[in-house]
Amino acid sequence: MKNKSLIFSIFLVFIIVLSVSAISAQDVNDTISTTDEETVIGDAEQVSGTVSGDVDVATENPWNTTGELSYDIPADAKTIKSADVYVNVYGGSAKNTHGANANISISTANGNESYSESLWTEDGSADGTVYTLNNHTTKCYSDYMIHYDVTSLLNGLNGTNLKIKVDTFKMENKTFDGRIKLMGLVLAYDDGDNDIVNYWVNDNQIWTNSNTTLIFDTSALTEVLDMSLTNIALSSQDATYLLNGEFLTDAEHKSGNYYQYNKWNIADYFNSSKKTEFTAIGTAGSYGVSYKNVLSVLTAKPGVVQASVSLASERKNSNLDIIYPGTFNQFTINVNTNKNGKYVIRLLADGNVVNSTEVYINSSSKKITLMDETVRPVDNTTVSTGAGGSYNKVNYTVQLFLKDELLNESSINAAILYNGYLSKDYAYPNTGLESFLNVTISGDIVIDVAGAYASGTNNRVDTWNVALTNDSTIVKAFVYAPYCYGGADDENLYNVTFNGVKPSVVSFSRDQANIVSTSGYGLIVYDVTDSIKDGENTFVLNKTHSTGAYPSILIYLYNTTGSPIIKNVYIYNGADLVGMTGNGANRPISVDSVLKIDSSDVASAVAYIFGAGAKDDRASIVVNGEKDDDAWNTNLSDQVNVYAKDISKTVKNNNEISIILNNNMFTALQQIVVLTKKETPVVVKNETEITAPSVTKVYNVAKNLVVTLKDVNGKVISGAKVIITLNGKTYTKPTNAKGQAILDLPNLAPKNYKVSVKFAGDSKYKASNLSTAKVVVKKANPKMSGKTKVTYKVKTKTKKYAIVLKNNKKQAMKKVKVTLKVKGKTYKATTNAKGKAVFKITKLTKKGKYTAKVRFAGNKYYSALNKTVKITVKK
């Protein structure tokens, strides 16, 4: 508190310095004098009392010469203890040159009361002096404040309506303004119960050019359950407010023309057995600080605070609180209290604070949610079978504080359970369905399911018939292979071929029902773009594990030359098991996805949602807010089902798709959105031609394959992408300014290779291809060095002869076998790391001259090589 008082004192000095010689914006032409002294209003200036019901404050700010306030008297206001009407009229000037007349009427169920007021006085000043006109009217600056006690008029009228109407008009020989700043009613009533509400009302016109403090005598109160303060100021600028030296925040604020309404819940600021100090620090406007306070109402409900708190996890099973690994966990906290105020609620997990919040609670029950954002790993350290109830558990405690005082706390032990439906692939990094492909096509997408469910060790062959027109070409093609009951499963779960070619795995997702089980559910996606063909296509699936193989899905996309149709295809892949079995918890289960697309210029849109084992009674699907309870239209649980939904009317950039489990279990697979764009004028594209001369090269010697792309008129096409397929690998190369796409040929083994070249076409040019080009790689010629004539002595038993073998790049050929044949005997040697081979000749024991043949027989990379050596043996 000392620190806050110091801050207040410094701030107050700053405000006072700013406000020296400040003047009222309303009375800028009528300034007489100013003062920098703080105004302090004591208890004697106020009206106070107690009621069993409440105290209502109703106000209007007409800022016109006519105004009306309508108020419904509470039905439970059995006895009205006090009712006061306030009207404040702006006279136009503090000088007596201005004046006005006012007619005021109060209409009730019992009839009307009318009043006429002359708003003028000889006296006037602009220093904040309050002048009394009569027993119910005062003047301060240029404002006239009228106050009527209408208690007797309203008694017995509970549940009825009250209307107050004010009209002002010109006073003879006076300058007239007469705009109404305030119409107000303060009503205190008993409702017949035993509650006690203390109240204080201050209705003085208090002007300051610095600050003002009201003192409410609350010293008789030791504890309060609720406390509120309503304050009305008639100034262009609102003030900064403090209560008992602390800055007031979180006001219910309304602002009008020279009108500032604030209401605060101030129970947290209450000082037991002490008076309450309310300070307003004026804010400088265009003409300095000018602040006028006219009405302040303080209410307090005494009593001792009583509070209880409890918490529960998101779901229970047989009264067992459950939390989940791999995700955040949400808790419901119930608070019951008889005191209004700001409470702090803390959530602890195993003694550590994981979340806290400050919340205002009325004197009743309050339900809030808090999240434990601790993501516990989905592994055997956090999940057990729970045999005999021995689950791994976390102790959670919720604590309830008021003004740093711990009022109450409660604890539970929550078991950690996993059921495979957290939009997270267990043991793999994928989270939910992830973006897989985004492609634009001028043709269409085909989705075709084939095959029957294969259990255990049964293998399967799936076939599809593809029929494309002559002007259509494949853009992408994939086979989706979903499965269940996998063990130590990974992307090598199957040995597969598509049209005899082993395809590559481009996506793998996996989930499972319970961490301690070996039963995995997943999806393997194979890229078959390069091997799909017109006619019958065959997918051979051989298992490496005993799994359940659901039917396969062939998805292919194609372009059609000259088509005016443009489609955007977005594919999201994943495998998310949803099921109620495994942990017995009844947590709502769903797979929630957001498919991000570009929805501009869309003529139509279709969403495709896939499920394995997804019968109609097992799930509901919601797409962009539209729900379908019978989406998959089948009663078979061993199939892959596809739900097609026209979303043309609801499509947006972020499409929300939820698959909600109703019973049993199934696997949510891929999701696809296909957008058909609004038609654009057909663009006439030029024909293209690809040329690529065949290349002959020697192994180990660099050489390029040069592809040239031209249009039908022989003009080269630069900046285009050309796809070159050589030896099973695909290379994408851009064409240069000469229309050439240049491929640095890899160091292929000697052989004849076919080269396939494709240009897929673009907005200006049609597609073309070439399949006649070849790359011929010939064997390289090695080099052998060594003496051509050697002489040995007869007495040398082992005569050594060495050669060095190098390739066509003059690099040593190591670990190569060579032979030396002399006098009918063949000797063998192997080159070392330097290419050197040493022959050990042991059979030349007689004097004479001999001819030896050294030979490298060649291999798949290098040609054969012979060398003749003359050998002389002498004594």
Side-chain angles (χ1 to χ4, degrees):
M1 182 63 73
K2 289 182 179 179
N3 290 336
K4 291 179 179 178
S5 298
L6 177 60
I7 293 171
F8 165 62
S9 300
I10 295 172
F11 183 54
L12 184 58
V13 170
F14 176 68
I15 291 296
I16 292 174
V17 170
L18 284 177
S19 61
V20 173
S21 300
I23 54 178
S24 168
Q26 296 175 30
D27 301 290
V28 64
N29 297 319
D30 304 308
T31 301
I32 299 174
S33 64
T34 61
T35 176
D36 293 334
E37 296 180 0
E38 178 182 359
T39 304
V40 179
I41 305 300
D43 297 342
E45 306 282 344
Q46 300 164 358
V47 174
S48 61
T50 61
V51 290
S52 63
D54 205 350
V55 178
D56 283 355
V57 179
T59 64
E60 292 289 347
N61 171 231
W63 197 236
N64 206 330
T65 57
T66 183
E68 184 177 289
L69 184 152
S70 178
Y71 172 75
D72 293 324
I73 302 172
D76 60 349
K78 294 185 177 179
T79 302
I80 295 176
K81 297 288 289 290
S82 66
D84 296 89
V85 171
Y86 298 93
V87 177
N88 189 287
V89 177
Y90 175 49
S93 174
K95 296 180 180 180
N96 59 14
T97 55
H98 290 60
N101 293 307
N103 289 335
I104 302 167
S105 66
I106 302 175
S107 303
T108 69
N110 288 336
N112 299 331
E113 287 285 341
S114 298
Y115 307 88
S116 295
E117 302 291 346
S118 295
L119 304 179
W120 180 85
T121 179
E122 184 72 29
D123 301 319
S125 67
D127 61 358
T129 301
V130 178
Y131 298 94
T132 300
L133 274 71
N134 52 49
N135 66 349
H136 57 270
T137 308
T138 62
K139 176 186 180 184
C140 179
Y141 262 98
S142 53
D143 290 349
Y144 293 88
M145 187 76 167
I146 305 164
H147 171 203
Y148 302 121
D149 182 344
V150 295
T151 307
S152 59
L153 179 65
L154 302 185
N155 262 325
L157 297 183
N158 54 310
T160 64
N161 180 260
L162 161 70
K163 279 189 174 61
I164 305 169
K165 187 174 181 182
V166 179
D167 292 291
T168 64
F169 53 95
K170 182 174 173 31
M171 179 179 285
E172 187 176 358
N173 299 322
K174 299 297 179 185
T175 302
F176 171 69
D177 189 304
R179 284 175 288 183
I180 305 162
K181 284 188 175 182
L182 172 69
M183 298 174 63
L185 171 71
V186 178
L187 182 113
Y189 64 91
D190 289 333
D191 59 5
D193 61 20
N194 295 321
D195 292 342
I196 295 176
V197 177
N198 295 82
Y199 70 91
W200 294 260
V201 179
N202 188 298
D203 60 2
N204 291 285
Q205 293 198 80
I206 307 167
W207 177 87
T208 182
N209 65 353
S210 58
N211 61 83
T212 181
T213 298
L214 298 179
I215 299 175
F216 300 93
D217 190 1
T218 56
S219 57
L221 302 178
T222 57
E223 293 188 71
V224 296
L225 298 177
D226 189 20
M227 200 170 190
S228 69
L229 174 61
T230 302
N231 190 73
I232 312 297
L234 301 181
S235 303
S236 59
Q237 301 289 325
D238 203 5
T240 298
Y241 299 98
L242 298 94
L243 197 77
N244 296 330
E246 297 186 55
F247 287 100
L248 276 172
T249 58
D250 301 327
E252 176 191 334
H253 176 68
K254 292 181 286 187
S255 180
N257 291 287
Y258 296 102
Y259 169 84
Q260 307 295 334
Y261 171 98
N262 288 285
K263 182 176 181 180
W264 300 271
N265 294 301
I266 58 172
D268 291 339
Y269 299 85
F270 172 68
N271 286 338
S272 178
S273 304
K274 293 183 180 180
K275 293 182 179 182
T276 298
E277 295 185 1
F278 172 57
T279 300
I281 304 172
T283 303
S286 301
Y287 300 99
V289 176
S290 178
Y291 175 80
K292 185 181 291 178
N293 199 72
V294 298
L295 183 62
S296 302
V297 179
L298 176 73
T299 62
K301 184 177 181 180
V304 178
V305 62
Q306 296 176 343
S308 64
V309 63
S310 63
L311 82 160
S313 61
E314 191 172 351
R315 285 293 180 270
K316 284 189 175 183
N317 181 43
S318 301
N319 294 320
L320 178 68
D321 284 280
I322 297 169
I323 63 171
Y324 303 95
T327 186
F328 296 169
N329 285 276
Q330 182 173 287
F331 292 83
T332 300
I333 297 168
N334 287 291
V335 179
N336 286 283
T337 179
N338 64 344
K339 177 180 173 63
N340 293 356
K342 289 181 180 178
Y343 291 79
V344 173
I345 301 171
R346 292 180 186 169
L347 179 67
L348 294 83
D350 289 333
N352 299 311
V353 177
V354 293
N355 205 341
S356 66
T357 187
E358 184 179 71
V359 59
Y360 188 87
I361 303 177
N362 292 317
S363 54
S364 61
S365 62
K366 180 82 172 182
K367 180 182 291 186
I368 67 167
T369 58
L370 279 183
M371 195 76 72
D372 175 10
E373 296 187 358
T374 307
V375 179
R376 294 167 180 84
V378 186
D379 58 30
N380 284 304
T381 65
T382 56
V383 183
S384 69
T385 59
S390 60
Y391 299 101
N392 288 332
K393 296 179 180 179
V394 176
N395 178 264
Y396 283 96
T397 301
V398 61
Q399 297 177 332
L400 180 67
F401 292 85
L402 180 64
K403 284 190 172 181
D404 298 327
E405 177 186 354
L406 178 62
L407 298 180
N408 215 327
E409 64 181 8
S410 179
S411 297
I412 61 171
N413 285 317
I416 305 173
L417 297 172
Y418 178 69
N419 198 30
Y421 49 78
L422 300 173
S423 293
K424 187 178 182 67
D425 299 335
Y426 165 63
Y428 296 94
N430 293 342
T431 301
L433 274 68
E434 295 191 331
S435 178
F436 170 68
L437 183 70
N438 174 8
V439 65
T440 300
I441 57 177
S442 61
D444 207 348
I445 178 173
V446 176
I447 300 169
D448 197 356
V449 179
Y453 180 83
S455 61
T457 58
N458 296 321
N459 298 319
R460 192 177 70 218
V461 177
D462 301 332
T463 59
W464 296 274
N465 187 63
V466 174
L468 293 178
T469 59
N470 291 333
D471 56 354
S472 295
T473 56
I474 293 291
V475 176
K476 285 288 184 182
F478 305 96
V479 170
Y480 284 70
Y483 69 87
C484 61
Y485 306 129
D489 38 318
D490 57 23
E491 63 184 36
N492 299 311
L493 184 64
Y494 300 137
N495 288 324
V496 302
T497 60
F498 187 84
N499 292 334
V501 178
K502 182 178 177 62
S504 60
V505 175
V506 291
S507 179
F508 173 65
S509 306
R510 182 187 187 277
D511 205 359
Q512 64 183 48
N514 195 296
I515 183 65
V516 297
S517 167
T518 59
S519 179
Y521 288 68
L523 175 67
I524 306 172
V525 182
Y526 301 94
D527 189 336
V528 297
T529 304
D530 292 334
S531 52
I532 193 171
K533 61 183 181 180
D534 277 348
E536 185 175 274
N537 291 262
T538 303
F539 179 65
V540 178
L541 184 151
N542 292 315
K543 299 179 180 179
T544 62
H545 292 76
S546 177
T547 61
Y550 288 101
S552 304
I553 313 157
L554 175 65
I555 296 176
Y556 60 92
L557 304 88
Y558 61 88
N559 283 331
T560 301
T561 302
S563 171
I565 298 173
I566 299 296
K567 294 189 177 184
N568 286 351
V569 179
Y570 300 83
I571 302 180
Y572 283 71
N573 284 346
D576 202 351
L577 178 67
V578 283
M580 291 182 173
T581 59
N583 60 24
N586 292 319
R587 189 182 193 190
I589 302 165
S590 66
V591 176
D592 304 312
S593 306
V594 177
L595 273 58
K596 297 182 178 181
I597 66 171
D598 178 5
S599 62
S600 60
D601 298 323
V602 172
S604 62
V606 179
Y608 298 91
I609 300 161
F610 297 73
K615 294 170 57 177
D616 264 348
D617 61 348
R618 293 188 177 180
S620 300
I621 297 179
V622 180
V623 182
N624 291 336
E626 294 185 353
K627 186 178 181 182
D628 191 341
D629 290 324
D630 299 307
W632 278 298
N633 194 30
T634 180
N635 60 359
L636 300 176
S637 63
D638 59 357
Q639 300 297 305
V640 170
N641 301 309
V642 185
Y643 170 56
K645 171 72 173 178
D646 187 332
I647 60 171
S648 302
K649 294 182 180 179
T650 64
V651 67
K652 52 188 177 179
N653 285 347
N654 296 315
N655 295 274
E656 300 164 351
I657 299 178
S658 293
I659 307 174
I660 305 168
L661 180 73
N662 294 332
N663 64 71
N664 210 291
M665 64 193 302
F666 63 91
T667 310
L669 301 175
Q670 70 271 27
Q671 297 177 7
I672 302 174
V673 172
V674 179
L675 306 179
T676 302
K677 293 292 189 175
K678 293 178 180 177
E679 288 192 21
T680 56
V682 177
V683 177
V684 178
K685 299 181 181 182
N686 290 329
E687 299 283 350
T688 59
E689 181 183 24
I690 298 173
T691 57
S694 295
V695 177
T696 299
K697 67 178 292 265
V698 175
Y699 175 74
N700 232 2
V701 177
K703 204 162 186 179
N704 296 333
L705 173 69
V706 179
V707 176
T708 303
L709 180 65
K710 296 182 179 181
D711 67 12
V712 70
N713 298 314
K715 180 182 177 181
V716 298
I717 302 172
S718 61
K721 291 183 179 179
V722 173
I723 301 171
I724 304 170
T725 303
L726 170 63
N727 195 29
K729 292 187 178 180
T730 299
Y731 307 87
T732 300
K733 295 291 180 179
T735 57
N736 59 21
K738 296 180 180 180
Q740 295 175 335
I742 301 174
L743 173 66
D744 295 332
L745 292 173
N747 201 19
L748 301 170
K751 183 181 172 183
N752 292 349
Y753 296 89
K754 291 183 178 180
V755 180
S756 172
V757 185
K758 292 182 181 179
F759 169 57
D762 56 24
S763 60
K764 294 173 61 178
Y765 298 101
K766 292 184 179 180
S768 58
N769 59 77
L770 177 71
S771 59
T772 58
K774 294 181 180 179
V775 172
V776 178
V777 182
K778 295 184 177 182
K779 291 183 179 182
N781 293 322
K783 302 285 186 180
M784 184 184 294
S785 61
K787 294 180 179 181
T788 57
K789 294 180 180 182
V790 291
T791 301
Y792 303 101
K793 291 184 179 181
V794 172
K795 64 180 182 180
T796 302
K797 291 183 179 181
T798 302
K799 301 168 179 63
K800 295 181 180 180
Y801 176 76
I803 60 96
V804 174
L805 191 64
K806 293 185 178 182
N807 65 15
N808 56 334
K809 285 192 173 183
K810 297 182 180 181
Q811 298 167 331
M813 297 174 64
K814 57 184 178 180
K815 294 183 180 180
V816 175
K817 292 180 180 181
V818 291
T819 61
L820 184 148
K821 188 174 183 180
V822 62
K823 199 182 176 182
K825 176 66 176 177
T826 299
Y827 299 90
K828 297 179 180 180
T830 302
T831 59
N832 62 15
K834 294 182 179 181
K836 184 177 181 180
V838 180
F839 297 96
K840 296 178 180 180
I841 306 169
T842 59
K843 300 298 183 180
L844 293 180
T845 57
K846 292 181 180 182
K847 175 183 174 183
K849 292 187 177 183
Y850 306 92
T851 298
K853 295 290 186 180
V854 182
R855 179 175 175 78
F856 164 56
N859 56 27
K860 68 176 182 177
Y861 301 106
Y862 296 96
S863 301
L865 183 63
N866 295 311
K867 182 178 180 64
T868 301
V869 182
K870 298 293 184 179
I871 300 175
T872 301
V873 180
K874 63 181 180 179
K875 290 185 179 181

